[in-house]
Amino acid sequence: MGKNKLQKFEDMTGYPHVFQYPFSVLQEKGFEMKGRWNELFFKNNHPIVLELGCGKGEYTVGLAQLFPDKNFIGIDIKGARMWSGAKLALENQLSNVAFLRTHIELINHFFAPGEVSEIWITFPDPQMAKVNKRMTSTRFMKLYREILNDKGLIHLKTDSNFMFTYTGEMIKANHFPVLVETNDLYNSNLADEILSIQTYYEQQWLDRGLNIKYIRFICEPSETYIEPEVEIEQDPYRSFNRSKRSEKK
Ligand SMILES: C[S@@+](CC[C@H](N)C(=O)[O-])C[C@H]1O[C@@H](n2cnc3c(N)ncnc32)[C@H](O)[C@@H]1O
């Protein structure tokens, strides 16, 4: 029988590569590794790559196996999901993996300016009703830009036509360079060993026959970011106001 949530939380308290920082803990103690992840944890000088809203951390672990010369940190607020990836990293003795349990909104409390070289956003809830909660909105670009290095590389993989269209419009409004883009990954010639890593949510959407979309772009520095003003068609398979419910799947 699988472990229940409490057992998973219990396990993770003993994991050396899992850092759990709800806001209360952050307020009380601050985060001692901010700007010093490589010095204090990874013990090397390799680039740091984040997976935001990592869930079970398939990209964090999968990329870490493909790229031993980069360091990967999966971030999510849900600990029970993260446990799967954390356990796998431990079993595979991956020394280039860490997990951080916190809200993405607090990310600049955990990383210093320029400390991060790439960000992956994998199958985020499109937050069709709330632009401020959308993980590719300009509110988040501003946050990501604070911690990203000069390259400012961001990857988005999504099932959601709404999220993909919105992100494209946000990129256009801010004149960000797009490096790679497809609205049907598995019917393109782009599905290499990196983009073929499949997450838990991705598998559910593939089972439902949805196309997987991918875009890689550069979040360039700017004094202000411009929110696109466009009407975007809702994803018909999601309820506009039920993001909380769809999160639980
Ligand atoms: C739809 S799931 C996708 C999970 C995983 N990337 C996958 O593809 O299977 C979205 C994930 O983002 C996390 N999440 C959403 N908003 C968050 C926030 N503000 N801070 C931290 N995690 C968040 C949720 O807990 C959830 O695990």
Side-chain angles (χ1 to χ4, degrees), residues 51-59 75-79 81-82 100-106 121-127 133 135 140 157 159 198-205 238 246-247 249:
E51 183 188 6
L52 302 183
C54 68
K56 298 183 179 201
E58 288 89 347
Y59 261 85
I75 302 177
D76 204 294
I77 194 59
K78 298 224 169 125
R81 288 181 184 170
M82 178 179 286
L100 173 62
R101 187 159 84 85
T102 192
H103 281 106
I104 293 157
E105 287 83 347
L106 300 175
I121 305 170
T122 51
F123 297 86
D125 190 294
Q127 298 288 355
K133 287 187 139 196
M135 279 173 56
F140 281 95
K157 212 177 169 195
D159 56 287
Q198 286 180 1
T199 73
Y200 177 73
Y201 273 78
E202 177 169 3
Q203 285 157 21
Q204 319 282 311
W205 298 126
R238 285 179 208 263
S246 59
E247 274 286 289
K249 270 189 231 122

Side-chain angles (χ1 to χ4, degrees), residues 4 9 18 25 45 50 52-53 59 64-65 74 89 102 114 123 137 139 145 155 157 170 191-192 204 206 223 241 244:
N4 67 29
F9 278 104
V18 176
V25 179
N45 250 338
L50 308 183
L52 302 183
Y59 261 85
Q65 284 168 324
T102 192
F123 297 86
S137 67
R139 174 200 180 192
R145 191 56 261 175
H155 309 251
K157 212 177 169 195
M170 186 283 298
D192 58 9
Q204 319 282 311
L206 282 169
E223 297 263 299
N241 278 317
K244 278 270 176 301

Side-chain angles (χ1 to χ4, degrees), residues 136-145 154 170 217 219:
T136 56
S137 67
T138 53
R139 174 200 180 192
F140 281 95
M141 289 302 129
K142 211 166 146 227
L143 268 179
Y144 304 157
R145 191 56 261 175
I154 299 187
M170 186 283 298
F217 64 98
C219 175

Side-chain angles (χ1 to χ4, degrees), residues 6-225:
L6 281 179
Q7 291 167 322
K8 290 178 180 175
F9 278 104
E10 177 89 21
D11 273 5
M12 287 207 304
T13 53
Y15 287 178
H17 61 317
V18 176
F19 301 88
Q20 307 205 50
Y21 272 80
F23 190 54
S24 51
V25 179
L26 195 60
Q27 258 184 329
E28 204 182 301
K29 299 203 284 191
F31 186 66
E32 64 281 3
M33 290 206 306
K34 177 175 175 172
R36 301 174 71 196
W37 279 88
N38 277 349
E39 178 198 342
L40 297 176
F41 180 75
F42 293 113
K43 316 272 187 211
N44 59 39
N45 250 338
H46 297 166
I48 292 178
V49 181
L50 308 183
E51 183 188 6
L52 302 183
C54 68
K56 298 183 179 201
E58 288 89 347
Y59 261 85
T60 302
V61 173
L63 290 171
Q65 284 168 324
L66 290 174
F67 300 101
D69 53 352
K70 291 184 182 182
N71 299 325
F72 295 87
I73 305 173
I75 302 177
D76 204 294
I77 194 59
K78 298 224 169 125
R81 288 181 184 170
M82 178 179 286
W83 172 85
S84 308
K87 188 162 167 284
L88 196 60
L90 211 57
E91 284 166 358
N92 285 284
Q93 299 180 323
L94 295 173
S95 57
N96 58 337
V97 172
F99 284 92
L100 173 62
R101 187 159 84 85
T102 192
H103 281 106
I104 293 157
E105 287 83 347
L106 300 175
I107 204 163
N108 54 358
H109 293 264
F110 295 94
F111 299 93
E115 193 173 11
V116 171
S117 60
E118 272 175 63
I119 289 178
W120 281 80
I121 305 170
T122 51
F123 297 86
D125 190 294
Q127 298 288 355
M128 295 190 287
K130 298 179 197 127
V131 69
N132 249 350
K133 287 187 139 196
R134 214 170 290 154
M135 279 173 56
T136 56
S137 67
T138 53
R139 174 200 180 192
F140 281 95
M141 289 302 129
K142 211 166 146 227
L143 268 179
Y144 304 157
R145 191 56 261 175
E146 280 184 39
I147 59 168
L148 276 166
N149 68 12
D150 291 344
K151 285 198 198 112
L153 209 55
I154 299 187
H155 309 251
L156 168 71
K157 212 177 169 195
T158 182
D159 56 287
S160 164
N161 197 46
F162 179 92
M163 185 73 181
F164 191 64
T165 306
Y166 167 79
T167 305
E169 293 292 339
M170 186 283 298
I171 288 170
K172 225 190 293 171
N174 292 284
H175 308 287
F176 292 158
V178 173
L179 307 182
V180 181
E181 178 175 8
T182 173
N183 65 6
D184 191 358
L185 176 65
Y186 296 111
N187 283 311
S188 73
N189 57 2
L190 295 168
D192 58 9
E193 58 182 350
I194 299 169
L195 293 182
S196 300
I197 295 172
Q198 286 180 1
T199 73
Y200 177 73
Y201 273 78
E202 177 169 3
Q203 285 157 21
Q204 319 282 311
W205 298 126
L206 282 169
D207 287 348
R208 289 178 63 173
L210 292 169
N211 288 355
I212 301 305
K213 293 103 180 145
Y214 170 76
I215 190 162
R216 185 188 310 159
F217 64 98
I218 294 181
C219 175
E220 291 193 322
S222 174
E223 297 263 299
T224 49
Y225 290 118

